[in-house]
Amino acid sequence: MTRGARVTWAALGGAALALSAFGSASAGDPPAPRARPRGCPPEMARVGEYCIDRWEASMVDRRTGNPLSPYYPPARVLLRRVRAVWETERLAEGSPGARALPLPDISTWQRTHAFEPKAVSRPGVVPQGYLSYHLAKRACENAGKRLCTEDEWVTACKGRRGTAQPYGPAFERARCNVFRRIHPAAVLHDDASVGHTDPRLNLVVEDGQWPLLALTGATTGCVSQWGADGVYDMVGNLDEWIADEHGVFVGGFYARSTTKGCEARVASHAPAYYDYSLGTRCCADAAR
């Protein structure tokens, strides 16, 4: 394993992951929703004529509301495929310590029932990775929302002041959960370029206490400010799919070596592509 890194795993929900010391994140309870912005649901911030989720999406089943694991694709066929592949592959790659680490659990309900992903925006949870563009789009639509256009996403990220970073004009190391010094695939597989569907990747912890993937809203120095309201982690944590049918994601994820902030953009993957670093958040038109 990479020096200074280890891996942990927890039951669905990720409550056991330590968050108290990374960047500007503060200990204690996650931020609560502010007063409802006019024309937007309580979990969304108002930006001009539209609303945007305050927090990166996590997933529940559309019909029952049961939570879906953030460590697997929220589609039954893909989940089974990924689980089956990594039950074997994890035993063949990386150090002996990495090979000994089990896959994260899946709830009995999710293993035994058909489900349909619905995006929810809430603080203090593990955000959903392993999303393709198609899954992200469907999950937002199942929530009665939609994917953000690129202009909407970038505008919201830059805040009311229109700065290149959510917090200001210049990049500041560790203000957002991006450009981390270790890569989870290098920790688990001794190669940062392989194994990107491994369900264990987002459980890697740096220096025994700093999860590479933070809970939603935990990095409190990384807020795009809109008046008294704020939108969290638009830079870093997970890359986020936007409404481009050719396949575009933005913002940069925790191990991406980028300082571009709100202008960070990747358009080199097909819409069907998914891996551990890909999430989303939703937009909606503001009610008049």
Side-chain angles (χ1 to χ4, degrees):
M1 292 190 184
T2 300
R3 183 180 178 86
R6 67 176 179 88
V7 180
T8 186
W9 59 93
L12 185 63
L17 296 181
L19 287 171
S20 60
F22 173 67
S24 300
S26 59
D29 294 331
R34 296 181 184 273
R36 177 175 177 170
R38 183 172 58 85
C40 295
E43 76 278 8
M44 304 184 87
R46 176 100 183 227
V47 180
E49 297 303 308
Y50 64 96
C51 310
I52 188 167
D53 283 345
R54 289 192 178 102
W55 300 282
E56 295 164 306
S58 53
M59 297 291 155
V60 300
D61 174 52
R62 180 178 64 177
R63 182 179 63 85
T64 65
N66 287 332
L68 304 181
S69 173
Y71 306 116
Y72 296 88
R76 199 173 190 193
V77 171
L78 294 179
L79 181 153
R80 288 177 169 178
R81 181 185 304 162
V82 167
R83 180 85 182 188
V85 166
W86 286 100
E87 284 284 11
T88 301
E89 290 298 312
R90 70 178 180 84
L91 302 175
E93 297 186 8
S95 68
R99 292 197 299 271
L101 292 167
L103 300 181
D105 290 336
I106 306 169
S107 70
T108 300
W109 184 90
Q110 190 175 356
R111 284 190 285 105
T112 56
H113 290 76
F115 56 86
E116 178 69 15
K118 173 185 173 181
V120 294
S121 173
R122 56 188 179 183
V125 298
V126 179
Q128 178 72 55
Y130 303 89
L131 289 179
S132 66
Y133 161 80
H134 303 294
L135 281 171
K137 181 174 183 289
R138 194 162 90 215
C140 284
E141 290 172 351
N142 284 340
K145 303 175 184 179
R146 56 177 171 78
L147 287 179
C148 305
T149 68
E150 188 162 5
D151 284 346
E152 287 173 336
W153 194 97
V154 172
T155 296
C157 181
K158 291 184 173 183
R160 191 174 295 279
R161 294 183 296 162
T163 54
Q165 308 288 339
Y167 46 81
F171 176 77
E172 297 178 29
R173 195 80 180 239
R175 281 293 296 270
C176 292
N177 187 15
V178 72
F179 216 141
R180 299 290 287 273
R181 65 185 177 87
I182 64 173
H183 193 290
V187 173
L188 289 179
H189 308 302
D190 296 328
D191 187 339
S193 67
V194 302
H196 289 182
T197 61
D198 186 338
R200 304 171 299 166
L201 288 166
N202 285 338
L203 293 168
V204 175
V205 172
E206 183 179 355
D207 292 338
Q209 61 180 330
W210 299 341
L212 293 183
L213 178 62
L215 302 186
T216 55
T219 311
T220 55
C222 189
V223 184
S224 302
Q225 205 69 45
W226 286 91
D229 206 0
V231 185
Y232 291 83
D233 295 313
M234 296 199 74
V235 170
N237 228 30
L238 292 176
D239 273 307
E240 299 180 17
W241 288 106
I242 56 171
D244 189 314
E245 62 183 12
H246 300 294
V248 176
F249 46 87
V250 290
F253 81 106
Y254 55 78
R256 190 178 302 289
S257 300
T258 179
T259 62
K260 291 183 177 180
C262 298
E263 301 289 345
R265 181 181 193 271
V266 175
S268 57
H269 292 286
Y273 178 78
Y274 64 92
D275 71 20
Y276 70 103
S277 68
L278 289 170
T280 198
R281 77 179 71 220
C282 308
C283 280
D285 295 336
R288 295 183 181 276

